[in-house]
Amino acid sequence: MMITLDSIWKNYGRSLALRGLTLAVPTGSAFALLGANGAGKTTLIRTIVNMIEPDRGLAMVMGVDSRRLGPAQFRQIGFVSENQRLPDRLTVAEFLNYLRPLYPAWDRSLERDLLRQFGLPGDRKIGALSHGMTMKLRLAAALPFRPRLLILDEPLSGLDPLVRDEFVAGMMEHAQEVTLLISSHELHEIEGLATHVAFLDAGRLVFQESIEDLQGRVREVRVTLASGAELPAEPPAQWLNITSVGSVVSFVDTAFAEQGYGDTVAQHFGCPIRAIDITPIGLRPIFTTIARSLREKGI
């Protein structure tokens, strides 16, 4: 594992930012931290890179306690965030000239490729760059030393679709052997990009798993009942967003298992069913359904 977190707690005064959070980021994965603003994503990232210490628990990064990360580890960690402050008075070239000696593994050829691919003008002052060009520069400064871990905190927020696509294309082309940790509150930013996902809510981990497993266990189900049939008095906990119109009951099953599924559903209703339609769903409806369920339960 590139990162392992064991029962991480962090509070700011009376506000709990992280609540016993445990997760693992596999080496070589593109791991997405998802959750609304205030869910704890940024606090978690700051804990991982030792910008803050957890009150309780242990964070291991590349096999090292996060509180003991040193130059040898930081030379292998890239960081990109829209909140990074860059030296506005320097030109693009001056900024890269400043960074280059700090990283023995800096690849000048890769640097030139990124500048060319992103259309970054070396003689332009950073303060004169657009938001999109500034984000490209942040990525162009994080990749040439070929980090083992690349952390991206809300990297695509506020980018127009063209710049977003260019940013993602550059990242995927030049970070193929890098473990990516991406925080986002926008699902469309990571769909098709992430291989694994963790969903945070109010500082708690709701779940973590591979995208493949997640999409394999969640289905939208539409059941047509016999005339006069009623909803189960206590539907299974994994059935979310249950609605009923006439003899048709719809819900999202978060623990779908294909074998014998029709018989299992019929047992819950206690009667034969006329028809059952099962449909895979995308990440956005999966997460909105789960988030709505948590809100309704007051969790």
Side-chain angles (χ1 to χ4, degrees):
M1 293 293 165
M2 178 62 67
I3 300 169
T4 55
L5 307 175
D6 184 12
S7 300
I8 298 292
W9 290 80
K10 183 64 185 179
N11 70 292
Y12 299 102
R14 297 181 179 179
S15 175
L16 274 172
L18 299 176
R19 310 182 186 212
L21 199 148
T22 296
L23 63 80
V25 178
T27 299
S29 65
F31 195 102
L33 292 174
L34 298 179
N37 290 328
K41 303 186 301 297
T42 297
T43 298
L44 180 57
I45 286 175
R46 289 177 176 173
T47 302
I48 289 170
V49 297
N50 197 29
M51 292 175 68
I52 58 175
E53 289 192 12
D55 297 323
R56 283 181 283 163
L58 177 65
M60 299 291 291
V61 182
M62 295 185 290
V64 178
D65 186 329
S66 65
R67 294 165 294 189
R68 293 177 172 82
L69 292 173
Q73 288 78 40
F74 284 120
R75 290 192 187 104
Q76 301 178 75
I77 300 174
F79 184 77
V80 175
S81 170
E82 66 169 344
N83 295 319
Q84 279 175 290
R85 295 184 63 182
L86 301 183
D88 289 346
R89 290 181 294 178
L90 295 184
T91 65
V92 169
E94 289 169 341
F95 179 53
L96 295 175
N97 288 342
Y98 166 76
L99 293 177
R100 206 175 294 123
L102 303 177
Y103 298 94
W106 190 279
D107 187 333
R108 289 293 300 269
S109 176
L110 176 55
E111 174 194 329
R112 289 190 292 269
D113 288 346
L114 287 164
L115 291 177
R116 182 170 57 253
Q117 182 174 354
F118 288 153
L120 286 165
D123 59 351
R124 183 82 55 84
K125 287 190 179 295
I126 294 174
L129 297 176
S130 66
H131 173 62
M133 293 294 278
T134 302
M135 287 304 301
K136 290 179 181 179
L137 175 59
R138 290 177 176 127
L139 183 60
L143 287 175
F145 59 92
R146 298 194 178 278
R148 291 176 57 196
L149 172 64
L150 179 59
I151 299 174
L152 302 110
D153 187 14
E154 301 284 356
L156 306 177
S157 180
L159 298 184
D160 67 54
L162 177 59
V163 173
R164 176 193 178 280
D165 289 348
E166 291 172 344
F167 184 97
V168 171
M171 179 173 61
M172 297 309 294
E173 179 179 347
H174 300 290
Q176 295 179 359
E177 298 180 1
V178 178
T179 301
L180 300 177
L181 179 63
I182 311 165
S183 79
S184 177
H185 66 280
E186 293 289 349
L187 289 167
H188 71 271
E189 290 185 351
I190 61 92
E191 192 151 16
L193 172 63
T195 61
H196 294 71
V197 65
F199 183 29
L200 275 60
D201 185 71
R204 289 181 288 257
L205 179 68
V206 180
F207 63 82
Q208 63 165 325
E209 58 193 299
S210 71
I211 294 291
E212 182 179 3
D213 288 346
L214 175 62
Q215 293 184 321
R217 72 173 174 87
V218 181
R219 291 289 186 275
E220 186 174 34
V221 182
R222 190 169 181 265
V223 181
T224 304
L225 302 171
S227 178
E230 297 181 355
L231 287 172
E234 295 185 8
Q238 70 265 21
W239 290 8
L240 306 180
N241 196 25
I242 302 173
T243 60
S244 177
V245 179
S247 61
V248 177
V249 177
S250 300
F251 56 89
V252 173
D253 192 335
T254 59
F256 172 76
E258 187 170 0
Q259 187 172 4
Y261 187 74
D263 293 336
T264 301
V265 171
Q267 289 173 7
H268 287 299
F269 284 101
C271 67
I273 56 179
R274 290 182 178 176
I276 180 169
D277 296 310
I278 303 168
T279 308
I281 59 178
L283 284 180
R284 178 174 292 275
I286 288 175
F287 282 99
T288 54
T289 298
I290 292 172
R292 187 181 301 111
S293 174
L294 292 172
R295 190 177 298 121
E296 290 171 352
K297 294 175 181 177
I299 297 176

